[in-house]
């Protein structure tokens, strides 16, 4: 909810999903250029990185991983465009890591 409130404060509209599977059911509604931000730690058997790979395989390319871990930990994950912290990206001026 913090991300949703932060977006509204900045005049942006975002869709927030509590469960990645809910997004999977709705992904057909989104343009493939849609920016997707997914948490690494989903408190489930699968990590955000695994879901991100699925989104990438479906054609999404603007996939960003939110994590409190160092960006270097994810350097081999080529389907993620950037690693950001837990702060909503519209509050932050730069990301922690960007893939080439």
């Amino acid at each position: 909810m913090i991300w949703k409130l932060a977006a509204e404060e900045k005049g942006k509209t975002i869709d927030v999903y509590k469960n990645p599977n809910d997004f999977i059911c709705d992904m057909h509604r989104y343009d493939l250029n849609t920016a997707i931000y997914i948490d690494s730690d989903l408190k489930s058997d699968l990590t955000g990185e695994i879901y991100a790979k699925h989104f990438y395989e479906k054609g999404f390319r603007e996939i960003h991983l939110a994590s409190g871990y160092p960006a270097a930990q994810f350097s081999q994950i080529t389907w993620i465009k950037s690693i950001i912290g837990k702060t909503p990206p519209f509050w932050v001026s730069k990301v922690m890591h960007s893939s080439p």
Side-chain angles (χ1 to χ4, degrees), residues 10-86:
K10 295 292 185 176
K12 299 185 181 293
T13 302
I14 64 170
D15 294 331
V16 177
Y17 291 87
K18 291 182 181 181
N19 182 321
N21 290 315
D22 294 339
F23 174 72
I24 289 170
C25 291
D26 284 351
M27 72 171 43
H28 66 278
R29 296 179 34 223
Y30 296 92
D31 182 274
L32 294 177
N33 294 318
T34 299
I36 298 172
Y37 295 88
I38 187 166
D39 199 320
S40 175
D41 184 6
L42 299 174
K43 309 288 188 234
S44 72
D45 292 339
L46 299 177
T47 64
E49 298 91 282
I50 300 299
Y51 280 101
K53 185 173 186 180
H54 177 72
F55 303 154
Y56 187 87
E57 290 169 349
K58 294 295 183 182
F60 291 93
R61 294 297 182 262
E62 288 293 321
I63 305 168
H64 308 274
L65 188 69
S67 177
Y69 295 108
Q73 181 173 325
F74 306 99
S75 64
Q76 300 302 313
I77 302 175
T78 58
W79 56 90
I80 301 216
K81 187 167 186 174
S82 71
I83 308 300
I84 65 167
K86 299 288 186 157

